[in-house]
Short mmCIF file of all heavy atoms in Angstrom, two decimals:
data_model
loop_
_atom_site.label_atom_id
_atom_site.label_comp_id
_atom_site.label_asym_id
_atom_site.label_seq_id
_atom_site.Cartn_x
_atom_site.Cartn_y
_atom_site.Cartn_z
N LYS A 41 126.13 187.12 101.68
CA LYS A 41 126.69 186.35 100.56
C LYS A 41 128.19 186.11 100.70
O LYS A 41 128.81 185.53 99.82
CB LYS A 41 126.39 187.05 99.25
CG LYS A 41 124.90 187.10 98.94
CD LYS A 41 124.62 187.73 97.62
CE LYS A 41 123.11 187.71 97.36
NZ LYS A 41 122.77 188.37 96.11
N ALA A 42 128.75 186.55 101.82
CA ALA A 42 130.18 186.39 102.03
C ALA A 42 130.52 184.92 102.24
O ALA A 42 129.81 184.19 102.93
CB ALA A 42 130.62 187.20 103.25
N LYS A 43 131.62 184.51 101.65
CA LYS A 43 132.13 183.15 101.83
C LYS A 43 133.00 183.08 103.08
O LYS A 43 133.32 182.01 103.56
CB LYS A 43 132.96 182.73 100.60
CG LYS A 43 132.20 182.79 99.31
CD LYS A 43 131.65 181.44 98.95
CE LYS A 43 131.09 181.42 97.56
NZ LYS A 43 129.67 181.49 97.49
N ARG A 44 133.39 184.25 103.57
CA ARG A 44 134.32 184.30 104.70
C ARG A 44 133.94 185.43 105.65
O ARG A 44 133.62 186.53 105.22
CB ARG A 44 135.71 184.54 104.14
CG ARG A 44 136.81 184.58 105.13
CD ARG A 44 138.15 184.60 104.38
NE ARG A 44 139.19 185.10 105.23
CZ ARG A 44 140.26 185.72 104.82
NH1 ARG A 44 140.43 185.95 103.54
NH2 ARG A 44 141.16 186.13 105.66
N THR A 45 133.98 185.14 106.94
CA THR A 45 133.74 186.14 107.97
C THR A 45 135.06 186.41 108.68
O THR A 45 135.75 185.47 109.08
CB THR A 45 132.68 185.66 108.99
OG1 THR A 45 131.44 185.50 108.30
CG2 THR A 45 132.51 186.64 110.12
N ILE A 46 135.39 187.68 108.80
CA ILE A 46 136.63 188.08 109.46
C ILE A 46 136.25 188.89 110.71
O ILE A 46 135.67 189.98 110.61
CB ILE A 46 137.51 188.93 108.53
CG1 ILE A 46 137.86 188.12 107.28
CG2 ILE A 46 138.77 189.40 109.27
CD1 ILE A 46 138.53 188.92 106.18
N LYS A 47 136.57 188.35 111.88
CA LYS A 47 136.30 189.03 113.13
C LYS A 47 137.46 189.95 113.47
O LYS A 47 138.62 189.55 113.37
CB LYS A 47 136.08 188.02 114.25
CG LYS A 47 134.83 187.19 114.04
CD LYS A 47 134.62 186.19 115.15
CE LYS A 47 133.36 185.40 114.87
NZ LYS A 47 133.10 184.42 115.92
N VAL A 48 137.14 191.18 113.83
CA VAL A 48 138.15 192.18 114.16
C VAL A 48 137.79 192.79 115.51
O VAL A 48 136.68 193.31 115.67
CB VAL A 48 138.22 193.29 113.08
CG1 VAL A 48 139.27 194.33 113.46
CG2 VAL A 48 138.52 192.70 111.72
N GLU A 49 138.70 192.71 116.47
CA GLU A 49 138.48 193.33 117.78
C GLU A 49 139.05 194.73 117.78
O GLU A 49 140.10 194.98 117.20
CB GLU A 49 139.14 192.51 118.88
CG GLU A 49 138.47 191.20 119.16
CD GLU A 49 139.10 190.46 120.33
OE1 GLU A 49 139.91 191.05 121.09
OE2 GLU A 49 138.77 189.27 120.48
N MET A 50 138.35 195.64 118.47
CA MET A 50 138.82 197.01 118.67
C MET A 50 138.94 197.21 120.18
O MET A 50 138.07 196.76 120.93
CB MET A 50 137.81 198.00 118.10
CG MET A 50 137.55 197.79 116.62
SD MET A 50 136.33 198.94 115.94
CE MET A 50 134.81 198.21 116.53
N ASN A 51 140.01 197.87 120.63
CA ASN A 51 140.17 198.05 122.07
C ASN A 51 140.60 199.47 122.41
O ASN A 51 140.92 200.26 121.53
CB ASN A 51 141.13 197.00 122.64
CG ASN A 51 142.53 197.11 122.06
OD1 ASN A 51 143.11 198.20 121.97
ND2 ASN A 51 143.10 195.97 121.68
N ASP A 52 140.59 199.77 123.69
CA ASP A 52 140.92 201.11 124.16
C ASP A 52 142.42 201.38 124.22
O ASP A 52 142.84 202.47 124.60
CB ASP A 52 140.28 201.38 125.52
CG ASP A 52 138.76 201.46 125.43
OD1 ASP A 52 138.23 201.55 124.30
OD2 ASP A 52 138.10 201.43 126.50
N GLN A 53 143.23 200.40 123.83
CA GLN A 53 144.67 200.64 123.65
C GLN A 53 144.90 201.15 122.23
O GLN A 53 146.04 201.25 121.78
CB GLN A 53 145.47 199.36 123.90
CG GLN A 53 145.56 198.95 125.36
CD GLN A 53 144.23 198.42 125.90
OE1 GLN A 53 143.57 197.60 125.27
NE2 GLN A 53 143.84 198.89 127.07
N MET A 54 143.81 201.44 121.53
CA MET A 54 143.81 201.99 120.17
C MET A 54 144.46 201.02 119.19
O MET A 54 145.29 201.39 118.36
CB MET A 54 144.49 203.37 120.10
CG MET A 54 143.91 204.37 121.06
SD MET A 54 142.14 204.57 120.82
CE MET A 54 141.63 205.17 122.41
N ARG A 55 144.00 199.78 119.25
CA ARG A 55 144.51 198.74 118.36
C ARG A 55 143.36 197.92 117.79
O ARG A 55 142.32 197.75 118.42
CB ARG A 55 145.47 197.80 119.09
CG ARG A 55 146.73 198.47 119.60
CD ARG A 55 147.63 198.92 118.44
NE ARG A 55 148.81 199.60 118.89
CZ ARG A 55 148.97 200.93 118.86
NH1 ARG A 55 148.01 201.72 118.43
NH2 ARG A 55 150.10 201.47 119.25
N PHE A 56 143.61 197.39 116.60
CA PHE A 56 142.74 196.40 115.98
C PHE A 56 143.45 195.05 116.10
O PHE A 56 144.66 194.97 115.93
CB PHE A 56 142.56 196.68 114.48
CG PHE A 56 141.68 197.84 114.16
CD1 PHE A 56 142.22 199.05 113.75
CD2 PHE A 56 140.30 197.72 114.21
CE1 PHE A 56 141.41 200.13 113.42
CE2 PHE A 56 139.48 198.79 113.88
CZ PHE A 56 140.03 200.00 113.48
N ILE A 57 142.69 194.02 116.37
CA ILE A 57 143.23 192.66 116.39
C ILE A 57 142.35 191.81 115.47
O ILE A 57 141.16 191.68 115.74
CB ILE A 57 143.23 192.08 117.82
CG1 ILE A 57 144.08 192.96 118.74
CG2 ILE A 57 143.74 190.64 117.81
CD1 ILE A 57 143.92 192.64 120.20
N PRO A 58 142.88 191.31 114.37
CA PRO A 58 144.26 191.39 113.90
C PRO A 58 144.56 192.75 113.28
O PRO A 58 143.65 193.47 112.86
CB PRO A 58 144.33 190.29 112.84
CG PRO A 58 142.96 190.21 112.28
CD PRO A 58 142.04 190.53 113.44
N ALA A 59 145.85 193.06 113.21
CA ALA A 59 146.31 194.32 112.63
C ALA A 59 146.55 194.19 111.13
O ALA A 59 146.77 195.19 110.46
CB ALA A 59 147.58 194.79 113.32
N GLN A 60 146.52 192.96 110.63
CA GLN A 60 146.70 192.74 109.20
C GLN A 60 145.83 191.57 108.76
O GLN A 60 145.75 190.55 109.44
CB GLN A 60 148.16 192.45 108.88
CG GLN A 60 148.43 192.29 107.40
CD GLN A 60 149.91 192.22 107.10
OE1 GLN A 60 150.65 193.14 107.43
NE2 GLN A 60 150.34 191.14 106.47
N ILE A 61 145.18 191.74 107.61
CA ILE A 61 144.28 190.74 107.04
C ILE A 61 144.65 190.55 105.58
O ILE A 61 144.96 191.53 104.89
CB ILE A 61 142.82 191.23 107.16
CG1 ILE A 61 142.43 191.37 108.63
CG2 ILE A 61 141.88 190.29 106.41
CD1 ILE A 61 141.14 192.16 108.85
N THR A 62 144.59 189.32 105.10
CA THR A 62 144.83 189.04 103.69
C THR A 62 143.56 188.47 103.08
O THR A 62 142.95 187.56 103.67
CB THR A 62 146.00 188.04 103.51
OG1 THR A 62 147.18 188.61 104.11
CG2 THR A 62 146.26 187.77 102.04
N VAL A 63 143.16 189.02 101.94
CA VAL A 63 142.00 188.52 101.20
C VAL A 63 142.38 188.39 99.73
O VAL A 63 143.36 188.98 99.28
CB VAL A 63 140.76 189.44 101.35
CG1 VAL A 63 140.34 189.58 102.80
CG2 VAL A 63 141.00 190.81 100.76
N LYS A 64 141.59 187.64 98.99
CA LYS A 64 141.82 187.49 97.56
C LYS A 64 140.98 188.52 96.80
O LYS A 64 139.85 188.82 97.20
CB LYS A 64 141.44 186.09 97.10
CG LYS A 64 142.35 185.03 97.64
CD LYS A 64 141.93 183.66 97.16
CE LYS A 64 142.83 182.61 97.79
NZ LYS A 64 142.34 181.26 97.59
N ARG A 65 141.54 189.02 95.72
CA ARG A 65 140.80 189.97 94.88
C ARG A 65 139.50 189.30 94.43
O ARG A 65 139.49 188.15 94.03
CB ARG A 65 141.63 190.38 93.67
CG ARG A 65 140.96 191.46 92.83
CD ARG A 65 141.83 191.91 91.69
NE ARG A 65 142.14 190.86 90.75
CZ ARG A 65 141.31 190.47 89.77
NH1 ARG A 65 140.16 191.03 89.62
NH2 ARG A 65 141.69 189.50 88.96
N GLY A 66 138.40 190.02 94.55
CA GLY A 66 137.10 189.51 94.15
C GLY A 66 136.35 188.78 95.24
O GLY A 66 135.14 188.57 95.14
N GLU A 67 137.04 188.40 96.31
CA GLU A 67 136.41 187.68 97.42
C GLU A 67 135.44 188.60 98.16
O GLU A 67 135.75 189.75 98.46
CB GLU A 67 137.51 187.20 98.37
CG GLU A 67 137.03 186.45 99.58
CD GLU A 67 138.17 186.00 100.48
OE1 GLU A 67 139.31 186.50 100.36
OE2 GLU A 67 137.92 185.13 101.32
N VAL A 68 134.24 188.10 98.44
CA VAL A 68 133.28 188.85 99.25
C VAL A 68 133.50 188.44 100.70
O VAL A 68 133.44 187.25 101.03
CB VAL A 68 131.82 188.56 98.82
CG1 VAL A 68 130.84 189.24 99.76
CG2 VAL A 68 131.59 189.02 97.38
N VAL A 69 133.79 189.43 101.55
CA VAL A 69 134.05 189.16 102.96
C VAL A 69 133.05 189.91 103.83
O VAL A 69 132.52 190.95 103.45
CB VAL A 69 135.50 189.53 103.37
CG1 VAL A 69 136.51 188.64 102.67
CG2 VAL A 69 135.79 190.98 103.12
N ARG A 70 132.82 189.34 104.99
CA ARG A 70 131.97 189.97 106.01
C ARG A 70 132.89 190.28 107.18
O ARG A 70 133.41 189.38 107.83
CB ARG A 70 130.87 189.01 106.42
CG ARG A 70 130.00 189.52 107.54
CD ARG A 70 128.92 188.47 107.86
NE ARG A 70 128.13 188.90 108.97
CZ ARG A 70 128.09 188.29 110.16
NH1 ARG A 70 128.82 187.20 110.37
NH2 ARG A 70 127.34 188.75 111.11
N PHE A 71 133.12 191.57 107.41
CA PHE A 71 133.90 192.00 108.57
C PHE A 71 132.93 192.15 109.73
O PHE A 71 131.85 192.74 109.58
CB PHE A 71 134.57 193.36 108.31
CG PHE A 71 135.67 193.31 107.29
CD1 PHE A 71 135.45 193.71 105.99
CD2 PHE A 71 136.94 192.87 107.64
CE1 PHE A 71 136.46 193.69 105.04
CE2 PHE A 71 137.97 192.84 106.71
CZ PHE A 71 137.73 193.25 105.40
N VAL A 72 133.34 191.63 110.90
CA VAL A 72 132.54 191.78 112.12
C VAL A 72 133.43 192.45 113.16
O VAL A 72 134.14 191.77 113.90
CB VAL A 72 132.00 190.43 112.63
CG1 VAL A 72 131.20 190.63 113.92
CG2 VAL A 72 131.14 189.76 111.56
N PRO A 73 133.43 193.79 113.18
CA PRO A 73 134.21 194.49 114.20
C PRO A 73 133.47 194.48 115.54
O PRO A 73 132.27 194.75 115.61
CB PRO A 73 134.32 195.91 113.64
CG PRO A 73 133.13 196.06 112.73
CD PRO A 73 132.80 194.69 112.22
N THR A 74 134.20 194.12 116.60
CA THR A 74 133.63 194.07 117.95
C THR A 74 134.42 195.01 118.84
O THR A 74 135.65 194.95 118.89
CB THR A 74 133.69 192.63 118.51
OG1 THR A 74 132.93 191.78 117.64
CG2 THR A 74 133.12 192.56 119.91
N ASN A 75 133.70 195.88 119.52
CA ASN A 75 134.33 196.87 120.40
C ASN A 75 134.48 196.26 121.79
O ASN A 75 133.52 196.10 122.52
CB ASN A 75 133.46 198.13 120.45
CG ASN A 75 134.11 199.24 121.23
OD1 ASN A 75 135.04 199.03 122.00
ND2 ASN A 75 133.60 200.45 121.05
N LYS A 76 135.71 195.91 122.15
CA LYS A 76 136.03 195.33 123.45
C LYS A 76 136.35 196.41 124.49
O LYS A 76 136.65 196.09 125.63
CB LYS A 76 137.21 194.37 123.33
CG LYS A 76 136.96 193.19 122.43
CD LYS A 76 136.03 192.20 123.08
CE LYS A 76 135.99 190.93 122.27
NZ LYS A 76 135.21 189.89 122.93
N GLY A 77 136.28 197.67 124.07
CA GLY A 77 136.64 198.77 124.95
C GLY A 77 135.46 199.40 125.65
O GLY A 77 134.34 198.88 125.63
N LYS A 78 135.72 200.57 126.23
CA LYS A 78 134.70 201.31 126.97
C LYS A 78 134.35 202.63 126.29
O LYS A 78 133.54 203.39 126.82
CB LYS A 78 135.18 201.56 128.40
CG LYS A 78 135.32 200.26 129.18
CD LYS A 78 135.73 200.49 130.60
CE LYS A 78 135.81 199.13 131.27
NZ LYS A 78 136.25 199.15 132.62
N VAL A 79 134.98 202.90 125.14
CA VAL A 79 134.67 204.11 124.38
C VAL A 79 134.25 203.71 122.97
O VAL A 79 134.52 202.60 122.51
CB VAL A 79 135.87 205.09 124.33
CG1 VAL A 79 136.27 205.54 125.73
CG2 VAL A 79 137.05 204.49 123.60
N LEU A 80 133.60 204.62 122.28
CA LEU A 80 133.16 204.39 120.91
C LEU A 80 134.36 204.17 119.99
O LEU A 80 135.38 204.86 120.11
CB LEU A 80 132.38 205.62 120.42
CG LEU A 80 131.88 205.58 118.98
CD1 LEU A 80 130.76 204.56 118.83
CD2 LEU A 80 131.40 206.96 118.56
N HIS A 81 134.24 203.20 119.10
CA HIS A 81 135.25 202.97 118.06
C HIS A 81 134.53 202.76 116.74
O HIS A 81 133.31 202.52 116.72
CB HIS A 81 136.11 201.73 118.37
CG HIS A 81 137.02 201.89 119.53
ND1 HIS A 81 138.08 202.78 119.53
CD2 HIS A 81 137.05 201.29 120.74
CE1 HIS A 81 138.71 202.71 120.68
NE2 HIS A 81 138.10 201.81 121.44
N GLU A 82 135.28 202.83 115.66
CA GLU A 82 134.71 202.53 114.35
C GLU A 82 135.75 201.85 113.48
O GLU A 82 136.94 201.96 113.72
CB GLU A 82 134.16 203.78 113.67
CG GLU A 82 135.18 204.85 113.39
CD GLU A 82 134.58 206.09 112.76
OE1 GLU A 82 133.35 206.26 112.76
OE2 GLU A 82 135.35 206.90 112.26
N MET A 83 135.25 201.12 112.50
CA MET A 83 136.11 200.49 111.51
C MET A 83 135.71 201.06 110.18
O MET A 83 134.56 200.92 109.76
CB MET A 83 135.94 198.97 111.51
CG MET A 83 136.80 198.26 110.51
SD MET A 83 136.56 196.46 110.62
CE MET A 83 137.72 195.93 109.38
N VAL A 84 136.66 201.73 109.51
CA VAL A 84 136.41 202.35 108.22
C VAL A 84 137.42 201.80 107.23
O VAL A 84 138.63 201.87 107.47
CB VAL A 84 136.55 203.89 108.30
CG1 VAL A 84 136.25 204.52 106.95
CG2 VAL A 84 135.65 204.46 109.38
N LEU A 85 136.94 201.25 106.13
CA LEU A 85 137.81 200.73 105.07
C LEU A 85 138.15 201.84 104.10
O LEU A 85 137.30 202.69 103.80
CB LEU A 85 137.10 199.62 104.29
CG LEU A 85 136.69 198.37 105.06
CD1 LEU A 85 135.80 197.49 104.20
CD2 LEU A 85 137.92 197.61 105.51
N GLY A 86 139.37 201.83 103.56
CA GLY A 86 139.74 202.82 102.56
C GLY A 86 141.21 202.75 102.20
O GLY A 86 141.94 201.88 102.66
N THR A 87 141.61 203.70 101.37
CA THR A 87 143.03 203.84 101.08
C THR A 87 143.64 204.62 102.24
O THR A 87 142.92 205.27 103.02
CB THR A 87 143.26 204.62 99.77
OG1 THR A 87 142.77 205.96 99.95
CG2 THR A 87 142.57 203.95 98.59
N MET A 88 144.94 204.60 102.37
CA MET A 88 145.58 205.36 103.45
C MET A 88 145.29 206.84 103.28
O MET A 88 145.03 207.55 104.26
CB MET A 88 147.09 205.10 103.48
CG MET A 88 147.79 205.80 104.64
SD MET A 88 147.11 205.45 106.29
CE MET A 88 147.79 203.83 106.59
N GLU A 89 145.30 207.33 102.05
CA GLU A 89 145.00 208.75 101.80
C GLU A 89 143.58 209.09 102.24
O GLU A 89 143.35 210.12 102.87
CB GLU A 89 145.22 209.09 100.33
CG GLU A 89 145.10 210.57 100.04
CD GLU A 89 146.11 211.43 100.79
OE1 GLU A 89 147.23 210.99 101.10
OE2 GLU A 89 145.76 212.60 101.10
N ASP A 90 142.61 208.23 101.92
CA ASP A 90 141.22 208.44 102.35
C ASP A 90 141.15 208.56 103.87
O ASP A 90 140.53 209.49 104.41
CB ASP A 90 140.32 207.25 101.96
CG ASP A 90 140.05 207.11 100.49
OD1 ASP A 90 140.21 208.09 99.75
OD2 ASP A 90 139.68 205.99 100.09
N LEU A 91 141.79 207.63 104.56
CA LEU A 91 141.71 207.61 106.02
C LEU A 91 142.40 208.82 106.64
O LEU A 91 141.88 209.42 107.58
CB LEU A 91 142.31 206.31 106.56
CG LEU A 91 141.58 205.02 106.16
CD1 LEU A 91 142.29 203.81 106.76
CD2 LEU A 91 140.12 205.04 106.54
N LYS A 92 143.56 209.21 106.10
CA LYS A 92 144.27 210.38 106.62
C LYS A 92 143.43 211.66 106.45
O LYS A 92 143.34 212.48 107.36
CB LYS A 92 145.62 210.55 105.93
CG LYS A 92 146.66 209.58 106.41
CD LYS A 92 147.97 209.80 105.68
CE LYS A 92 149.04 208.84 106.16
NZ LYS A 92 150.30 209.03 105.44
N GLN A 93 142.85 211.82 105.27
CA GLN A 93 142.03 213.01 105.01
C GLN A 93 140.82 213.04 105.94
O GLN A 93 140.48 214.08 106.49
CB GLN A 93 141.58 213.05 103.56
CG GLN A 93 142.68 213.41 102.60
CD GLN A 93 142.20 213.42 101.16
OE1 GLN A 93 141.02 213.27 100.87
NE2 GLN A 93 143.13 213.58 100.24
N HIS A 94 140.18 211.89 106.09
CA HIS A 94 139.00 211.85 106.94
C HIS A 94 139.37 212.07 108.41
O HIS A 94 138.65 212.77 109.13
CB HIS A 94 138.28 210.52 106.77
CG HIS A 94 136.95 210.50 107.41
ND1 HIS A 94 135.89 209.82 106.90
CD2 HIS A 94 136.48 211.08 108.53
CE1 HIS A 94 134.85 209.98 107.68
NE2 HIS A 94 135.18 210.73 108.69
#
Side-chain angles (χ1 to χ4, degrees):
K41 294 183 179 177
K43 302 264 189 258
R44 182 171 160 208
T45 296
I46 301 170
K47 294 180 180 180
V48 179
E49 289 184 12
M50 302 179 283
N51 62 47
D52 292 347
Q53 287 71 46
M54 305 305 156
R55 297 292 178 258
F56 286 104
I57 301 168
Q60 183 171 302
I61 296 166
T62 301
V63 301
K64 292 180 183 169
R65 185 176 62 81
E67 179 180 16
V68 174
V69 294
R70 176 180 177 245
F71 291 100
V72 179
T74 300
N75 186 343
K76 298 287 190 174
K78 294 183 179 178
V79 299
L80 178 70
H81 291 294
E82 61 182 14
M83 180 178 182
V84 182
L85 298 170
T87 65
M88 183 55 77
E89 187 60 31
D90 290 339
L91 296 180
K92 284 180 179 179
Q93 287 179 7
H94 190 146

